[in-house]
């Protein structure tokens, strides 16, 4: 599943752009839409306007996927990958979502089956100066984190105005592809490339429809451990196959009062200190993952009369 994030400030025209993307590429994709509250502000919801027959649309409301619903967001993306597994998932954050946070969350769950496409930010060229003044941090984040920036609402602008806008956008993002012409005139090559360019610039090949032998993903939220030593032990146990054939594990959690980020890949692990406090999360990817056993490591039940430290199985080696 390839993920394309289409970011942009309130009213920039993200929904219209997504519709154009569907039309120009002719690809079927699933959409994950994040809305504040239950009704879209502009009333132009995707569900009403796209052919609902072949588009899967999920909505996440009542919070923001870049911050308050961060954990729900990655869990939803993993669930979509593991159930529907569309070739493309387009994510439309709220207008006030920090694109850099969303990219970071997605990178944490990126693996063989989930890859991040170069994100797009739509900028309302008409309101650019005002938003830039009023919401500098947010606005800059959306512009600076994108790989393609598309200006909208520039129908009335002349060549000079487009050039000026392009220059200003370039100041905040020297590397992105910046389009100040109306996107309806872009070639089909350009549209297709949006679905092929990886986040780091490489061209992604088609993942193909073969799901046989695909690995399993298991994620846990709200995890913590009692000490850093316990975390190291867990890493060792994963590498030595005590929880099944796990070839990739990633996450962050609190262990003995400190926050750590951990990573397991190719039979090696790393554990690093983290200075931000976040809800604990762990993702395991592999075959025949011992889910119950892993769950017990983090959420052991206190048995009557047993000391807190006593727990089944994990000390067997
Ligand atoms: Zn947010």
């Amino acid at each position: 599943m390839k993920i394309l994030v289409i970011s942009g400030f309130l009213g920039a025209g993200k929904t219209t752009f997504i519709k154009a993307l569907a039309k120009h590429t002719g690809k079927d994709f699933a959409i994950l839409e994040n809305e504040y509250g239950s009704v879209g502000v502009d009333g132009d919801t995707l569900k009403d306007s796209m052919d609902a027959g072949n588009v899967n649309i999920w909505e996440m409301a009542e919070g923001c996927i870049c911050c308050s619903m961060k954990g729900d967001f990655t869990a939803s993306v993993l669930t979509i990958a593991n159930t529907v597994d569309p070739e493309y998932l387009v994510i439309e954050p709220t207008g006030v979502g920090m694109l850099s946070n969303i990219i970071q969350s997605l990178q944490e769950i990126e693996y063989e089956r989930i890859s991040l496409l170069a994100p797009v930010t739509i900028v309302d060229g008409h309101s650019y100066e005002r938003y830039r003044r009023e919401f500098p941090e947010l606005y800059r984040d959306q512009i600076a984190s994108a790989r393609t920036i598309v200006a909208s609402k520039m129908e009335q602008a002349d060549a000079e105005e487009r050039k000026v806008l392009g220059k200003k956008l370039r100041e905040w993002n020297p590397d992105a592809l910046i389009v100040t012409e109306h996107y309806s005139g872009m070639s089909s090559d350009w549209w297709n490339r949006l679905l092929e360019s990886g986040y780091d610039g490489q061209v992604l090949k088609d993942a193909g429809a073969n799901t046989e032998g695909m690995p399993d993903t298991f994620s846990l939220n709200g995890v913590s451990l009692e000490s850093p030593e316990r975390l190291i032990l867990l890493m060792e146990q994963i590498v030595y196959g005590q929880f099944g054939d796990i070839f990739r594990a990633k996450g962050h959690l609190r262990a003995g009062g400190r926050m750590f980020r951990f990573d397991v890949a190719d039979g090696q692990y790393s554990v690093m200190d983290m200075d931000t406090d976040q809800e604990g999360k762990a993702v395991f990817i592999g075959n025949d993952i011992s889910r119950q056993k892993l769950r017990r490591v983090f959420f052991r039940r206190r048995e009557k009369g047993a000391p807190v430290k006593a727990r089944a199985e994990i000390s067997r080696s």
Side-chain angles (χ1 to χ4, degrees):
M1 184 172 86
K2 285 173 260 188
I3 301 177
L4 179 62
V5 182
I6 299 185
S7 150
F9 203 66
L10 299 166
K14 298 188 287 292
T15 303
T16 313
F17 185 82
I18 292 172
K19 281 187 275 178
L21 177 70
K23 188 181 134 213
H24 286 272
T25 60
K27 299 274 189 190
D28 287 337
F29 42 72
I31 297 166
L32 178 63
E33 219 184 349
N34 182 207
E35 304 255 19
Y36 262 131
S38 43
V39 180
V41 181
D42 50 8
D44 181 21
T45 64
L46 282 161
K47 214 176 245 168
D48 296 338
S49 52
M50 294 193 75
D51 178 6
N54 50 28
V55 184
N56 256 310
I57 301 175
W58 288 270
E59 277 177 40
M60 297 188 72
E62 322 290 333
C64 177
I65 58 172
C66 98
C67 44
S68 61
M69 293 179 81
K70 209 171 182 171
D72 288 343
F73 170 54
T74 46
S76 298
V77 172
L78 284 170
T79 305
I80 292 168
N82 288 325
T83 52
V84 184
D85 194 24
E87 191 176 358
Y88 303 100
L89 175 67
V90 171
I91 295 177
E92 182 187 349
T94 69
V96 292
M98 288 279 212
L99 179 55
S100 62
N101 286 357
I102 293 165
I103 291 169
Q104 203 187 2
S105 293
L106 291 170
Q107 282 178 322
E108 282 174 19
I109 55 167
E110 211 176 4
Y111 68 109
E112 290 82 348
R113 279 178 74 189
I114 297 182
S115 48
L116 191 52
L117 292 166
V120 176
T121 291
I122 315 292
V123 172
D124 173 350
H126 189 65
S127 311
Y128 177 76
E129 285 300 338
R130 185 158 65 86
Y131 290 151
R132 183 183 162 129
R133 251 192 336 268
E134 290 173 8
F135 309 94
E137 193 197 354
L138 175 67
Y139 215 50
R140 187 186 193 120
D141 182 88
Q142 291 185 352
I143 290 166
S145 309
R147 290 291 185 269
T148 301
I149 301 169
V150 178
S152 64
K153 320 248 164 127
M154 290 292 279
E155 290 82 355
Q156 313 297 326
D158 59 28
E160 183 57 27
E161 286 169 295
R162 289 175 203 283
K163 212 173 125 192
V164 170
L165 177 65
K167 256 190 177 161
K168 286 177 181 163
L169 293 169
R170 181 66 70 212
E171 282 168 24
W172 274 355
N173 192 332
D175 305 317
L177 177 72
I178 296 174
V179 176
T180 55
E181 299 297 316
H182 196 276
Y183 57 74
S184 60
M186 298 307 279
S187 68
S188 57
D189 259 12
W190 182 83
W191 287 101
N192 286 320
R193 259 201 306 276
L194 295 175
L195 296 178
E196 287 161 8
S197 316
Y199 179 63
D200 46 13
Q202 96 285 24
V203 176
L204 299 172
K205 289 177 298 195
D206 264 354
N210 179 24
T211 52
E212 201 123 319
M214 282 298 190
D216 210 12
T217 303
F218 178 51
S219 59
L220 288 167
N221 290 314
V223 293
S224 64
L225 290 167
E226 70 266 36
S227 66
E229 292 74 20
R230 187 65 201 79
L231 177 58
I232 302 292
L233 177 62
L234 173 65
M235 297 291 102
E236 295 276 345
Q237 289 172 319
I238 289 173
V239 168
Y240 287 103
Q242 293 194 19
F243 297 98
D245 177 20
I246 293 176
F247 43 78
R248 190 94 172 80
K250 252 183 146 171
H252 48 260
L253 51 79
R254 177 163 285 282
R258 284 157 62 193
M259 281 297 294
F260 293 94
R261 186 185 292 287
F262 66 87
D263 205 319
V264 178
D266 304 321
Q268 305 215 310
Y269 65 85
S270 67
V271 171
M272 282 161 295
D273 271 301
M274 229 175 111
D275 40 24
T276 51
D277 200 3
Q278 286 176 36
E279 196 207 17
K281 182 174 174 66
V283 182
F284 305 92
I285 299 153
N287 298 307
D288 306 316
I289 300 175
S290 315
R291 295 169 184 240
Q292 279 310 320
K293 212 169 150 184
L294 272 171
R295 223 178 245 125
R296 275 199 295 269
V297 171
F298 300 103
F299 309 106
R300 56 191 195 276
R301 265 180 241 110
R302 233 182 261 198
E303 277 158 53
K304 235 189 191 165
V308 180
K309 280 199 166 159
R311 84 198 81 101
E313 291 178 73
I314 58 137
S315 56
R316 214 195 289 150
S317 58

